[in-house]
Amino acid sequence: MTSTQVEHESGSGAEGTATAEGYKRALNARQVQMIAIGGAIGTGLFYGSSTGIAKIGPSLIACYAAAGVVIFFIMRALGELLTYRPTSGSFADYAREFFGPFTGFATGWSYWALWVTACMSEVTAAGAYINFWWPAIPVWSTAAVALVVLFVANLVSVKVFGELEFWFSCIKVTAIIAMIVIGVGVLTFGFSSAGDTASVTHLWADGGFAPHGAWQAMLAMQGVIFAYLGVELVGITAGEAENPKQTLRKAINTLPVRIGIFYVGALIVLLSVFSWTKYTPGVSPFVQVFAQVGIPGAAGIMNFVVLTAALSSCNSGIYSTGRMLRGLAVNGEAPRPMGNLSGRSLPLPALVGSTLVMGIGVIVNVVSPGKAFLYITSVATCAGLWTWTMILAAHLRYRARVRAGLLPASDFRMPGAPVTNWLSIAALLLVVVLMAIDPDTRLGLYVWLVWFAVLAVGYQAAKRRTPTDQPLAFAQK
């Protein structure tokens, strides 16, 4: 029996049971649900949305809603693949299965780079947020401490990672719901100094719904869709989730509700309480609302929430890079020792290697936060688009093989496929075109071409070391 068949048959293992990959199913439904929620909420909403509001006004709501539809179809495609064969390698394994070893190699390393660079940025940001309370402490030292603490938490057990992510997500969700409740209260009962002018008419009265025109709103789509990066992280938990076929199905099906409440709903309330012209770029719109209604310490509260969001992102990054790097090593596409597991069924060498690279990035980001780091993070944005496109494309191939009777059908089918696949791929390609048009983001495409050239060279080196027509067995403890 092949390892793929073993994985497929062991997909519904009980808590603590080992999978064919050697992992233990220790993430419960509660944790997976909150990981899915947390993956869709980050600093982009809490702080970055102020810049989007200033650029395109209320039309930002439509951008988040439209991008949310695309994300839902991407996640449903991933969900169908995960119920067919749950695996911690997720999209890299599916890219390898349906398009060959180089595509799996490129997808795995690109996703690893996405989270490594994201962690470099987020953990440094966490150091800056801690400086809000203790400005005398150097940013690099608090960033390093935060990285070490999260690394150690990931070394204890996957359950500790899941529990941390559960509480991080709870804090983010509570902050958004509190703002929505307060905002609705201001609109309904008119309390606080904002009550006299708060009105849903702000959504269209101050220059229209798209005050700077539809084209400017379209250009903002690239930033909006990047705000959703991380939502696919739930797919990596498939190898360690209890009863993944049911748990992941529920997590993915509730995605439209999460997007509707936490992005679209939150923005509707924000832009109704105040006119979009009143929000200041670079200042959290949540802080402005909390402060205006008289909540003491609004800035401190939101600084804590955004610190939580940054730590959540880094926690997820350490988890995902360890699993992705181990999957690459198992397939002979990364140094072989990275494929080993610890006695706790954790990818210890891969976790250590990934975190050390993140630590180097923290130093680079603090010492030279300018163009050099911008070039590195450009890889992450393009890697997200590549990953999502590969999910949709692998799903198309999977469906074709199901129709040919070569693979078993999943009962969790993506709605509207293959039309929705092609529409979603077209939307992602449109974002690439918009990146090419905008001189501020064009650099990312150039860096991506260089990255792909590096991957091509790296793949040839890996191929010479381990022939790709002889897949490795999963590394043992």
Side-chain angles (χ1 to χ4, degrees):
M1 182 180 289
T2 67
S3 60
T4 297
Q5 289 171 320
V6 173
E7 288 173 81
H8 182 66
E9 292 181 9
S10 63
S12 58
E15 178 180 359
T17 59
T19 68
E21 297 169 290
Y23 296 121
K24 289 184 178 178
R25 298 202 178 279
L27 291 175
N28 58 42
R30 170 179 62 90
Q31 292 167 332
V32 172
Q33 282 289 332
M34 293 308 286
I35 289 170
I37 291 173
I41 305 171
T43 53
L45 174 63
F46 291 118
Y47 265 96
S49 56
S50 62
T51 302
I53 290 170
K55 282 184 176 181
I56 64 173
S59 58
L60 185 65
I61 299 169
C63 289
Y64 271 109
V69 172
V70 175
I71 297 302
F72 172 67
F73 286 126
I74 292 170
M75 290 304 295
R76 280 299 298 261
L78 178 58
E80 186 170 345
L81 290 169
L82 288 169
T83 53
Y84 143 67
R85 183 168 70 88
T87 166
S88 65
S90 196
F91 13 87
D93 280 354
Y94 301 132
R96 186 178 295 108
E97 178 179 355
F98 295 110
F99 290 98
F102 174 71
T103 310
F105 177 88
T107 302
W109 276 111
S110 294
Y111 198 70
W112 179 86
L114 186 160
W115 275 107
V116 164
T117 53
C119 281
M120 291 178 189
S121 176
E122 295 287 14
V123 77
T124 306
Y129 297 143
I130 292 172
N131 268 28
F132 177 87
W133 295 291
W134 297 287
I137 301 177
V139 170
W140 70 265
S141 62
T142 49
V145 169
L147 184 62
V148 170
V149 169
L150 293 173
F151 169 66
V152 171
N154 271 267
L155 287 187
V156 176
S157 73
V158 67
K159 207 165 187 67
V160 171
F161 156 76
E163 200 62 24
L164 266 179
E165 205 55 32
F166 174 82
W167 289 108
F168 284 153
S169 295
C170 282
I171 293 170
K172 293 187 285 186
V173 167
T174 300
I176 297 174
I177 292 176
M179 190 283 301
I180 292 175
V181 170
I182 291 169
V184 170
V186 170
L187 289 166
T188 305
F189 303 108
F191 63 80
S192 84
S193 58
D196 294 336
T197 57
S199 171
V200 292
T201 60
H202 286 316
L203 297 177
W204 60 83
D206 304 304
F209 185 71
H212 298 302
W215 176 246
Q216 193 66 29
M218 282 190 66
L219 287 176
M221 279 293 292
Q222 52 195 292
V224 168
I225 208 162
F226 293 150
Y228 286 114
L229 283 177
V231 70
E232 74 292 325
L233 175 69
V234 69
I236 303 226
T237 67
E240 294 168 280
E242 299 171 7
N243 201 353
K245 294 185 179 181
Q246 292 183 12
T247 302
L248 296 173
R249 184 192 307 252
K250 185 176 180 180
I252 291 170
N253 271 341
T254 56
L255 183 64
V257 176
R258 299 198 302 269
I259 291 174
I261 294 175
F262 300 131
Y263 277 99
V264 178
L267 285 172
I268 288 174
V269 172
L270 286 170
L271 292 168
S272 296
V273 172
F274 296 122
S275 165
W276 69 273
T277 60
K278 301 295 185 183
Y279 288 102
T280 305
V283 178
S284 170
F286 286 73
V287 169
Q288 292 184 250
V289 170
F290 285 167
Q292 194 65 31
V293 298
I295 295 179
I301 292 171
M302 281 313 301
N303 192 72
F304 173 70
V305 172
V306 178
L307 170 62
T308 299
L311 293 175
S312 171
S313 179
C314 190
N315 189 42
S316 297
I318 294 172
Y319 173 84
S320 60
T321 53
R323 274 68 184 172
M324 194 60 71
L325 184 56
R326 192 225 170 194
L328 288 163
V330 162
N331 285 280
E333 298 165 349
R336 192 181 294 267
M338 295 295 170
N340 295 330
L341 288 175
S342 71
R344 295 177 178 266
S345 298
L346 297 171
L348 179 60
L351 285 170
V352 172
S354 298
T355 306
L356 285 175
V357 175
M358 293 173 195
I360 295 170
V362 170
I363 298 171
V364 172
N365 196 21
V366 174
V367 175
S368 178
K371 289 187 176 180
F373 198 73
L374 176 63
Y375 296 157
I376 297 172
T377 53
S378 296
V379 174
T381 55
C382 293
L385 289 173
W386 171 267
T387 299
W388 290 345
T389 302
M390 288 313 306
I391 290 171
L392 293 164
H395 178 261
L396 284 170
R397 283 284 178 92
Y398 164 69
R399 279 285 188 93
R401 293 189 183 180
V402 169
R403 288 193 298 271
L406 300 175
L407 289 176
S410 166
D411 61 349
F412 187 51
R413 294 170 65 84
M414 176 185 175
V419 174
T420 46
N421 292 70
W422 290 114
L423 289 176
S424 299
I425 290 172
L428 296 179
L429 291 177
L430 175 61
V431 173
V432 174
V433 172
L434 294 173
M435 287 182 67
I437 292 172
D438 189 339
D440 292 335
T441 54
R442 193 179 301 146
L443 171 67
L445 298 180
Y446 296 146
V447 175
W448 181 248
L449 291 175
V450 174
W451 171 250
F452 231 79
V454 171
L455 288 177
V457 173
Y459 175 72
Q460 292 303 319
K463 189 177 179 180
R464 284 194 296 271
R465 188 179 67 248
T466 305
T468 54
D469 58 350
Q470 298 177 5
L472 300 176
F474 282 110
Q476 299 300 312
K477 297 178 185 178

